[in-house]
Amino acid sequence: MKTYAVVMAAGKGTRMKSDKPKVVHEVLYKPMICHIVDELKGLGVDGIYVIVGHKAQEVEKLVDGVEFVLQKEQLGTGHALMQARSVLGDKEGTTIVLNGDAPLITKETLKGLIQYHNDHHLQGTVMTCDCDLDKKFGRIIKENDQVTGIVEYKDCSPEQIQIKEMNVGEYCFDNQALFKALEKVTNDNAQNEYYITDVLKIMNDDHLNVGGYKIADLAEVGGINDRVELAEATKQLQLKVNKKHLLNGVNIIDINNTYIGVDVEIGPDTTIEPGCIIKGKTTIGSHCHIGPYCEFDNVEIKDHVEIKFSVIADSIIENGVDIGPYARLRNHCHILENVHMGNFVEMKKATFGKGSKAAHLSYIGDATVGSDVNIGCGTITSNYDGKNKFQTVIEDNVFVGCNSNLVAPVTVGKNAFIAAGSTITDEVHEDAFAIARSRQVNKEGYSKVLEEKRNQINKK
Ligand code: UD1
Ligand code: CA
């Protein structure tokens, strides 16, 4: 039996008060829609269909491995689902339908929903939860303890408002029964919308089996409708992720002040100091010391690495490296074993060889640096002529004196020595000493002459 998933993500999300569509907003540095799609991929379904509408392209560019279905006008969740008829309507199997604004849903909970649906031989199942009555969720209507329908908050009678069991916006259906029932959904209600929720009553009236899968905790499926709920979801997920890492042996000093994305992996005996934001597909090995105050995005960090007060993106850091404070690495840097990179060093698209050092105040861009190289304080690769970028190659064991400019394209051969303050424009050969600056001139006794001159000016 095949299982399909539909995510309803076409809505604008008016209450977010944003130019961006709601599902693009990030929970713990990852867009809502990506949380949901990744969870569905983990669950393993036979097809994922994402209904897009409001600013569809902004949603589409974030996700791959799914089929997008356009809902041109957002006329309600039932209408959203109807748009999938041409791609899904004929298929035999089970379809789960998810609200796009509940990004904390887990595959375990969805498994529970599908299992319940199958075990009870249902054609339509709604996930429910007992909630506080101030929630504006649809109310679950039951007769003799059997679900017979859902009434939207705005359509509820005063008695129905008092029902605690509510719809959390996740469903499971027999696919063909779903599309048959959708044909009968109308927009005859308080909001003049086509509601997916009507499907349950329609199925029940048609003598199909419908039911409710009640979960104990609203936390995963509370739904995000405004920025308060967005911030609350981020806090909730932050603590959940941090606790997972603590239990895996990661030493997180302050769980409230450390932000680790859901796709990050960290090895045991690594310490994370406060103020770190670690996101994307970052991996950190074991016995590392990270922070305080680092931001990593898509970084691969091996073991025994120390990094403090630094911003690193899209780079690889090998074993035993120490970086910071105040370093910045971006755009595919590869920092090899036992490198020391110190204060205020920026690297971009650079490979920095084993045991090499750039201890202070340097910019190394579009460069390949060999092993055991010393980059003196203030060294700069001049990689840009205003239009194009050029490569600098520094071979093994080179010593670059302080405050040197390496004007690319340029190569410095093995064991070469560059005198401090040089502006290197031509190739430096292996074992050579390069000095490229004007000679110092000393005028003996001239400081006294200068003083005389200054005094005469003051007298005038
Ligand atoms: C919905 C349910 C409500 C439930 C609540 C749980 C309906 C009619 N109501 O209400 O019973 O208690 O979720 O959170 O479904 N969407 C589209 N196209 C549209 C309209 C919405 O794709 O035309 C998407 C939205 O982007 C969103 C999801 O469907 O991701 C839910 O829509 P939303 O307007 O937030 O529904 P609620 O009013 O929260
Ligand atoms: Ca909602």
Side-chain angles (χ1 to χ4, degrees), residues 8-11 71 74-77 80 99-101 137-138 152 167 195-196:
M8 298 182 293
Q71 183 193 21
Q74 286 78 58
L75 304 178
T77 47
N99 271 1
D101 61 358
F137 289 160
E152 283 305 287
N167 168 25
Y195 294 157
I196 184 181

Side-chain angles (χ1 to χ4, degrees), residues 349 365-368 381-383 389-393 407-411:
K349 255 197 204 168
D366 301 302
T368 306
T381 55
S382 306
N383 58 331
K389 302 275 168 76
F390 300 95
Q391 289 291 319
T392 300
V393 177
V407 182
V410 71
T411 297

Side-chain angles (χ1 to χ4, degrees), residues 28 234-235 237-247 250-260 272-276:
L28 201 59
T234 293
K235 181 47 84 180
L237 190 57
Q238 174 203 18
L239 295 178
K240 181 180 165 188
V241 170
N242 287 350
K243 281 181 187 153
K244 176 190 84 180
H245 289 295
L246 289 169
L247 293 172
V250 180
N251 186 29
I252 300 173
I253 305 294
D254 181 352
I255 55 168
N256 282 300
N257 197 16
T258 302
Y259 298 82
I260 303 174
I272 312 285
E273 299 270 9
C276 292

Side-chain angles (χ1 to χ4, degrees), residues 135-248:
K135 285 269 177 223
K136 294 188 173 156
F137 289 160
R139 292 341 196 219
I140 305 295
I141 309 299
K142 286 182 166 176
E143 277 169 31
N144 303 326
D145 225 26
Q146 290 289 311
V147 173
T148 57
I150 304 170
V151 178
E152 283 305 287
Y153 177 82
K154 287 187 179 155
D155 299 300
C156 277
S157 66
E159 295 78 45
Q160 287 169 334
I161 291 276
Q162 301 303 315
I163 296 171
K164 268 173 54 189
E165 189 176 4
M166 301 186 198
N167 168 25
V168 298
E170 318 282 326
Y171 316 82
C172 188
F173 297 105
D174 172 83
N175 188 60
Q176 292 193 351
L178 166 65
F179 282 96
K180 203 157 161 246
L182 278 172
E183 285 172 16
K184 297 191 186 170
V185 173
T186 70
N187 64 350
D188 182 15
N189 52 52
Q191 304 188 87
N192 292 119
E193 283 185 4
Y194 296 87
Y195 294 157
I196 184 181
T197 46
D198 284 355
V199 165
L200 275 288
K201 180 174 187 315
I202 291 166
M203 285 184 166
N204 187 61
D205 290 349
D206 284 348
H207 309 291
L208 297 178
N209 297 326
V210 298
Y213 174 63
K214 195 192 260 191
I215 57 168
D217 186 2
L218 191 61
E220 272 184 34
V221 286
I224 293 174
N225 298 296
D226 57 33
R227 306 244 188 189
V228 174
E229 288 170 344
L230 183 70
E232 285 167 352
T234 293
K235 181 47 84 180
Q236 184 188 322
L237 190 57
Q238 174 203 18
L239 295 178
K240 181 180 165 188
V241 170
N242 287 350
K243 281 181 187 153
K244 176 190 84 180
H245 289 295
L246 289 169
L247 293 172
N248 284 344

